[in-house]
Amino acid sequence: MSDKNRVYVFDTTLRDGEQVPGCQLTTVEKIEVAKELELLGVDVIEAGFPISSPGDFQSVVEISKAVSEPIICALTRANTMDIDAAAEALRFAKRKRIHTGIGASDMHIKYKFNSTREDILKRAVDAVKYARKFVDDIEFYAEDAGRADNEYLARMIEAVIGAGATVVNIPDTNGYCLPDQYGAKIKYLMDNVSNIDKAIISVHCHNDLGLATANTIAGVMNGARQVECTINGIGERAGNTSLEEVAMILKTHHAMGYHTGINSKRIFGISNMVETMMRMPVQANKAIVGRNAFAHSSGIHQDGVLKHRENYEILNPEDVGIESNSIILTARSGRHALKHHLERLGYKMDKINLDEVYQRFLVMADQKKDINDADLQELMGDGDDKNFDDDKAIKVTLLQVVCGDPLRPMATVKLKINGEEKEASSAGNGPVDAAINAIHEIIKDQIDIDEFNIQSMRGGSKDVSKVNMRVKHNGQSYYGYGYSTDIVNASMHAYVDALNKIY
């Protein structure tokens, strides 16, 4: 506690986040996420609830072995069996914490425990004392503290600190509080718990009313120094406080004076990892990590960003691991954005009547939702009265894939490159990967896929799929697009479309 403005980040993606239906991970997957959380710079990883299942127990054991820098935390209820299981699961952890607790609101005391305030207070103290027999670092959670009576909550917190708690967690378990209410609750504890200087106040907020991040920041501003979060805000019901949001709020608002140990450049990478492994898509307009967070389609905004990024971006995308913002061409785009994309495609602006091209662009944009590179080339006359594919340096002449269960996916690809036909076959982790690996065998060049999106145009098994792909070559990004009723075929053509823009 020597640095009064240091905010510790407690990540519960692997415990609270993993409770979401459909988001369960294997132990191996949890270890992979835990290692990335360590690189991200979190201070505490809540690795699981050991008593809940053998799998959770084993995950805490293995994460304890695999990770060395963060504190490894295990959740328990306020009983000896839970605490025994947590202590055993943490036996290999280099830095360990037991997280125990009980309900603090009259709602929970009456309807969950059928008990009294005094009995609950005794059970809380007994649990902390028992946990101290195994580890020195004890976090106590006062469940449903958001709806708890402040005077009784203060008594409970004072008692558990006296029993040996080093961190006291004040959860808004149901996402009920308004920011001023929650901030006032934390301040009340700071002012009315006599031994509060002996522990760190932690805030754990849920997002039922969309206020988790706001409540967390209110807690920090009133004395809390640990924030409990998840990657992408996943968690029970509407989710938990988003780690990336809290970290970037504290980093952006320098005047607040707070800082964390988070390496923000790793945020986007771990966001993608969690999205993929937990099968929980991030909404496009999600703050910080949504695909539209740094995308601009309004002409006024595009013009402002191209002139000076900070006109419409308070964050630098590179600070969270995103390479650049996106200027999306739509009917709302202006001349500046159109010029930007034409120059990117290699058109010489001193030979173009931009006003005339822009008027034709508006007609095209009114007919289509988004304008891609092929549309722009057609707009410039490169696609008039001919098959656009005929003029490409690289064309697909054969695509053949074999896949199934338990067959290993294989693909054979023939490409015509400047009139010369070349063929290769390769395996992959799926038919698309196999096809792309076969192309790599032919072109012999280093090309990385940064983004790969498949979108149904209308819906249904007979629908046309649209594939958008962004690849990187020699530090430059290129976009490719493909359409087909066959997803593999659409993916292949999107990739080759990007290759044509490279070569």
Side-chain angles (χ1 to χ4, degrees):
M1 290 290 286
S2 57
D3 183 353
K4 65 179 182 179
N5 290 329
R6 172 72 151 87
V7 176
Y8 298 93
V9 177
F10 175 114
D11 183 89
T12 185
T13 301
L14 298 177
R15 200 279 300 170
D16 210 335
E18 208 239 357
Q19 292 176 189
V20 177
C23 289
Q24 286 68 40
L25 301 177
T26 65
T27 295
V28 172
E29 289 171 328
K30 288 183 180 181
I31 291 170
E32 190 174 343
V33 173
K35 287 181 176 179
E36 193 61 32
L37 288 170
E38 182 176 33
L39 294 172
L40 181 65
V42 304
D43 300 287
V44 185
I45 296 174
E46 188 164 49
F49 185 6
I51 197 71
S52 66
S53 73
D56 239 32
F57 182 96
Q58 193 60 32
S59 291
V60 176
V61 171
E62 297 304 327
I63 290 170
S64 296
K65 295 177 183 177
V67 174
S68 58
E69 287 300 317
I71 295 167
I72 304 301
C73 178
L75 184 73
T76 82
R77 294 162 296 189
N79 66 60
T80 57
M81 288 181 62
D82 280 26
I83 294 169
D84 286 340
E88 177 65 16
L90 289 168
R91 65 189 183 277
F92 296 109
K94 297 166 185 66
R95 305 170 68 198
K96 59 188 74 175
R97 175 183 294 179
I98 292 177
H99 189 189
T100 191
I102 200 165
S105 69
D106 290 328
M107 176 80 69
H108 278 216
I109 291 170
K110 180 177 180 180
Y111 295 108
K112 182 175 177 179
F113 296 103
N114 191 27
S115 187
T116 65
R117 284 185 173 189
E118 293 307 315
D119 177 62
I120 293 296
L121 196 61
K122 181 179 184 304
R123 289 166 65 177
V125 169
D126 288 347
V128 172
K129 287 182 177 178
Y130 187 72
R132 276 303 292 258
K133 295 179 180 180
F134 302 100
V135 298
D136 294 328
D137 189 4
I138 306 295
E139 179 170 343
F140 176 83
Y141 64 85
E143 190 177 12
D144 202 25
R147 295 189 293 178
D149 173 70
N150 283 352
E151 185 178 348
Y152 175 70
L153 181 62
R155 283 179 58 206
M156 177 180 278
I157 297 306
E158 188 169 289
V160 297
I161 293 174
T166 51
V167 180
V168 287
N169 177 8
I170 314 301
D172 186 21
T173 305
N174 296 290
Y176 172 76
C177 289
L178 298 173
D180 62 328
Q181 294 171 333
Y182 190 70
K185 189 176 289 282
I186 301 301
K187 186 175 189 305
Y188 182 89
L189 297 177
M190 291 290 293
D191 294 341
N192 292 279
V193 174
S194 62
N195 54 1
I196 198 67
D197 60 313
K198 301 294 192 297
I200 296 172
I201 294 182
S202 182
V203 289
H204 179 115
C205 300
H206 280 261
N207 206 38
D208 297 70
L209 294 175
L211 294 170
T213 297
N215 284 339
T216 295
I217 297 300
V220 170
M221 293 174 69
N222 282 280
R225 288 298 177 268
Q226 178 177 283
V227 293
E228 306 198 2
C229 315
T230 62
I231 302 299
N232 298 338
I234 64 171
E236 291 274 11
R237 304 180 311 279
N240 289 52
T241 303
S242 232
L243 183 151
E244 59 274 9
E245 293 173 12
V246 172
M248 294 313 294
I249 287 170
L250 297 182
K251 184 172 183 175
T252 302
H253 286 274
H254 310 285
M256 294 172 70
Y258 306 113
H259 61 97
T260 71
I262 295 297
N263 177 1
S264 66
K265 291 183 182 296
R266 301 192 74 90
I267 283 175
F268 189 63
I270 193 170
S271 169
N272 288 341
M273 172 188 279
V274 169
E275 177 183 29
T276 300
M277 293 176 69
M278 289 190 159
R279 298 166 292 280
M280 190 77 167
V282 174
Q283 67 193 62
N285 63 331
K286 167 76 173 64
I288 314 300
V289 294
R291 77 173 178 272
N292 290 348
F294 296 96
H296 307 274
S297 66
S298 161
I300 294 173
H301 288 215
Q302 290 173 339
D303 181 65
V305 166
L306 289 169
K307 287 176 176 173
H308 183 62
R309 180 188 60 78
E310 293 181 11
N311 280 327
Y312 286 101
E313 287 182 1
I314 60 171
L315 302 176
N316 186 337
E318 294 179 357
D319 285 346
V320 297
I322 299 173
E323 292 185 356
S324 64
N325 55 31
S326 300
I327 305 299
I328 310 299
L329 287 178
T330 70
R332 296 176 299 281
S333 298
R335 289 171 174 78
H336 200 168
L338 177 61
K339 178 175 178 286
H340 166 78
H341 279 283
L342 291 175
E343 287 177 332
R344 179 179 61 80
L345 291 172
Y347 291 99
K348 305 298 183 185
M349 299 312 297
D350 58 349
K351 299 179 179 180
I352 293 173
N353 182 338
L354 184 60
D355 287 339
E356 188 270 331
V357 172
Y358 182 67
Q359 294 306 314
R360 288 192 285 117
F361 162 79
L362 289 178
V363 174
M364 176 182 282
D366 277 335
Q367 297 171 353
K368 303 188 67 174
K369 289 185 177 181
D370 298 310
I371 302 297
N372 61 39
D373 288 357
D375 296 325
L376 289 180
Q377 288 167 313
E378 183 174 349
L379 181 76
M380 298 305 294
D382 294 341
D384 288 344
D385 300 321
K386 62 181 177 180
N387 185 338
F388 190 61
D389 280 341
D390 290 343
D391 202 35
K392 290 185 175 181
I394 304 173
K395 290 178 284 188
V396 181
T397 59
L398 173 71
L399 168 62
Q400 187 174 41
V401 296
V402 178
C403 60
D405 187 7
L407 296 176
R408 187 182 186 194
M410 296 286 297
T412 298
V413 174
K414 285 184 182 179
L415 298 180
K416 185 172 282 187
I417 304 176
N418 294 322
E420 181 183 355
E421 196 165 69
K422 298 184 178 182
E423 178 179 339
S425 298
S426 185
N429 59 25
V432 173
D433 186 53
I436 289 173
N437 289 342
I439 294 175
H440 286 171
E441 291 290 325
I442 295 172
I443 63 174
K444 308 290 186 185
D445 203 352
Q446 179 62 43
I447 297 173
D448 300 312
I449 298 178
D450 279 354
E451 188 176 324
F452 178 29
N453 294 314
I454 301 175
Q455 179 183 358
S456 172
M457 301 296 286
R458 290 175 296 277
S461 61
K462 298 180 180 179
D463 193 13
V464 172
S465 294
K466 173 184 177 183
V467 173
N468 299 337
M469 195 177 289
R470 183 177 69 191
V471 305
K472 180 185 283 185
H473 179 257
N474 292 338
Q476 177 69 41
S477 291
Y478 300 86
Y479 288 86
Y481 305 89
Y483 302 85
S484 177
T485 54
D486 182 327
I487 291 173
V488 180
N489 196 32
S491 302
M492 165 77 105
H493 281 89
Y495 190 69
V496 170
D497 184 41
L499 294 185
N500 274 292
K501 291 162 187 172
I502 294 172
Y503 300 121

